[in-house]
Amino acid sequence: MKITVIGTGYVGLVSGACLADVGNDVLCLDIDPEKIRILDAGGIPIHEPGLLDMVRRNVAADRLHFTTDVDRAVSHGAVQFIAVGTPPDEDGSADLKYVLAAARDIGRKMTDYKVVVDKSTVPVGTGAKVRTAIADELRRRGVDIAFSVVSNPEFLKEGAAVEDFMRPDRIIVGAEDERAILLMRALYAPFQRNHERLVVMDTKSAELTKYAANAMLATRISFMNELANLAEALGADVEMVRQGIGSDPRIGYHFLYPGCGYGGSCFPKDVKALIKTARDDANITLEVLTAVEETNDRQKHLLARKIAARFGDLEGRHFALWGLAFKPNTDDMREAPSRALIGDLLAAGATVTAYDPAAMKEARHIFGDEPRLRYADTPTAALEKADALVIVTEWKEFRSPDFEAIKRILKTPVIFDGRNLYDPEFVRGQGIEYFAIGR
């Protein structure tokens, strides 16, 4: 099948590469020539495990191509995936300008039937706006060409996006006409040979499903963070509590890990957008999600409060920071807890040396030439002359460190663990002060 994917970010590039990997002829469009230059040169503009090899394999097989040419892209695919960004506006709503611009381009250039698929995370009602945008362009051209609009939200975890696409838990398709549904079934057949994973519903329900899923996961994280803070105040161990409640099959263990807050491109943006949609479109206040957002904003500053409680005045203090990305296996620092922590420490007069296996280039882009923030080539090098170690991202290489070296190199043997990586009793037994979350 010939497929066009508009946008080569996390969603677009992963979707395009995975669809090509099962035999489709995929053309990826991006208006950013630098991204296309990187892709044409054999690289990828994002960090995602397994993606580079998949892209190169399918380019070599002549199944995956890249372009900045809108005419070529619209002409190519019977299915046109819109996978562009929907950044938050100042009021928290999702900005649809890139989605609607892509839709208008399709309407201006299409000459035969197209299935236009909203793959981007978009508010309820976006499908109708995309349909109107395309219809308006066709009307201006004075032509009558059939098309369908489908909602097909992505459920990809950064750091595991290729695996999630190739072996999906579910495939949500929001559509109202059988022609489009049959085409989507054919498109996704290679990904569900074991059993049926495709769930068909109306477009609005599909759009809401995506927001509801992310909001539920964010809620579990904020709930556990509040519970961890309570456990710490009461002298309980939140890890024991997590195991106790997670063993209930109605609850399960997923997303029950307390820490220093969630970040990334999805949870913060989608929670804000759902709150805004409810308020503006339905005159409903989502009180639970409002609390989820407020709890997460507070949690991002928890490590700085713990550090200040231990050291007092932070003027002239220096800290080692392990982890900059909002989660492991990505270089994404959007809404990352590390950004709040670095801001708090610098504002208090401290300096920081950071290490991250993937995100230091992105950190340099965000913080620029900030002289009080330096970067180390290894985790151990980051410890030099530091008053304490602060862990913000749970990269695998941080899970079993050399505690003897940490104790020897740090000026004061203190660890602030924002991801509860270690057994408190064991670490304290090494002669290191250990401050975790809720333990």
Side-chain angles (χ1 to χ4, degrees), residues 42-265:
I44 56 175
I46 57 176
H47 178 88
E48 185 62 39
L51 182 59
L52 180 59
D53 288 343
M54 179 177 280
V55 168
R56 289 177 174 173
R57 179 170 67 246
N58 285 282
V59 168
D62 204 33
R63 292 190 298 262
L64 181 61
H65 304 87
F66 309 102
T67 186
T68 57
D69 186 339
V70 174
D71 290 70
R72 179 187 172 199
V74 175
S75 174
H76 178 82
V79 180
Q80 302 267 319
F81 279 93
I82 298 178
V84 296
T86 53
D89 272 340
E90 291 182 5
D91 62 0
S93 62
D95 187 345
L96 295 178
K97 64 183 177 185
Y98 301 118
V99 171
L100 297 180
R104 285 190 291 270
D105 282 340
I106 294 169
R108 292 187 191 109
K109 306 294 184 179
M110 62 186 285
T111 57
D112 55 2
Y113 175 75
K114 304 289 183 186
V115 175
V116 180
V117 182
D118 283 331
K119 198 70 174 170
S120 303
T121 300
V122 294
V124 176
T126 299
K129 293 179 180 179
V130 167
R131 189 176 291 109
T132 298
I134 296 172
D136 286 347
E137 294 300 329
L138 292 174
R139 192 177 304 112
R140 287 190 184 95
R141 292 168 56 195
V143 296
D144 184 13
I145 303 172
F147 69 94
S148 303
V149 175
V150 172
S151 175
N152 175 219
E154 54 85 14
F155 296 95
L156 307 177
K157 300 185 294 292
E158 289 189 37
V162 172
E163 177 72 13
D164 287 345
F165 198 103
M166 299 302 288
R167 296 176 176 82
D169 297 317
R170 75 287 205 198
I171 301 164
I172 302 297
V173 171
E176 279 76 26
D177 69 89
E178 281 302 318
R179 185 177 180 183
I181 292 169
L182 286 172
L183 198 61
M184 296 301 288
R185 287 191 184 279
L187 181 66
Y188 280 111
F191 302 96
Q192 49 177 345
R193 291 177 62 82
N194 181 264
H195 65 275
E196 179 73 23
R197 293 180 173 89
L198 195 140
V199 182
V200 178
M201 59 186 71
D202 63 276
T203 304
K204 287 186 176 181
S205 295
E207 292 166 341
L208 184 56
T209 295
K210 168 62 178 179
Y211 276 113
N214 280 351
M216 171 61 79
L217 297 175
T219 298
R220 286 170 71 97
I221 293 170
S222 279
F223 172 78
M224 285 305 296
N225 283 337
E226 284 210 321
L227 206 60
N229 296 338
L230 176 62
E232 193 168 309
L234 296 177
D237 185 345
V238 75
E239 174 59 18
M240 298 295 100
V241 176
R242 184 189 70 80
Q243 294 181 30
I245 64 176
S247 61
D248 185 332
R250 297 171 301 174
I251 298 172
Y253 292 101
H254 293 298
F255 284 83
L256 288 188
Y257 292 93
C260 50
Y262 61 76
S265 64

Side-chain angles (χ1 to χ4, degrees), residues 188-411:
Y188 280 111
F191 302 96
Q192 49 177 345
R193 291 177 62 82
N194 181 264
H195 65 275
E196 179 73 23
R197 293 180 173 89
L198 195 140
V199 182
V200 178
M201 59 186 71
D202 63 276
T203 304
K204 287 186 176 181
S205 295
E207 292 166 341
L208 184 56
T209 295
K210 168 62 178 179
Y211 276 113
N214 280 351
M216 171 61 79
L217 297 175
T219 298
R220 286 170 71 97
I221 293 170
S222 279
F223 172 78
M224 285 305 296
N225 283 337
E226 284 210 321
L227 206 60
N229 296 338
L230 176 62
E232 193 168 309
L234 296 177
D237 185 345
V238 75
E239 174 59 18
M240 298 295 100
V241 176
R242 184 189 70 80
Q243 294 181 30
I245 64 176
S247 61
D248 185 332
R250 297 171 301 174
I251 298 172
Y253 292 101
H254 293 298
F255 284 83
L256 288 188
Y257 292 93
C260 50
Y262 61 76
S265 64
C266 294
F267 289 4
K269 174 174 69 72
D270 293 352
V271 168
K272 284 183 173 69
L274 193 52
I275 292 170
K276 179 75 164 48
T277 295
R279 183 175 67 242
D280 292 356
D281 297 350
N283 196 29
I284 293 173
T285 299
L286 298 182
E287 296 181 358
V288 170
L289 284 187
T290 299
V292 166
E293 183 181 36
E294 292 172 350
T295 297
N296 189 60
D297 289 343
R298 285 194 302 271
Q299 199 73 8
K300 288 182 178 180
H301 299 280
L302 178 61
L303 284 174
R305 293 196 297 270
K306 286 177 174 284
I307 292 168
R310 166 60 178 80
F311 286 101
D313 185 6
L314 300 184
E315 183 73 38
R317 295 284 187 176
H318 181 65
F319 297 96
L321 180 65
W322 283 3
L324 290 163
F326 85 94
K327 63 182 288 188
N329 299 319
T330 182
D331 60 352
D332 195 341
M333 286 185 63
R334 284 174 287 185
E335 302 280 347
S338 64
R339 297 176 68 162
L341 174 61
I342 291 170
D344 289 343
L345 292 176
L346 297 185
T351 55
V352 176
T353 297
Y355 169 79
D356 187 286
M360 291 196 288
K361 180 180 178 181
E362 180 64 17
R364 289 185 175 96
H365 174 73
I366 292 168
F367 291 102
D369 296 325
E370 170 56 62
R372 296 169 296 169
L373 174 60
R374 298 189 294 272
Y375 304 92
D377 293 331
T378 66
T380 302
L383 303 174
E384 295 291 341
K385 299 180 181 179
D387 289 291
L389 167 62
V390 190
I391 300 171
V392 185
T393 312
E394 62 275 33
W395 286 94
K396 284 184 179 179
E397 65 183 274
F398 301 157
R399 291 183 183 178
S400 186
D402 184 343
F403 288 106
E404 184 177 324
I406 292 173
K407 180 181 178 182
R408 183 179 69 254
I409 297 170
L410 289 175
K411 291 166 66 176

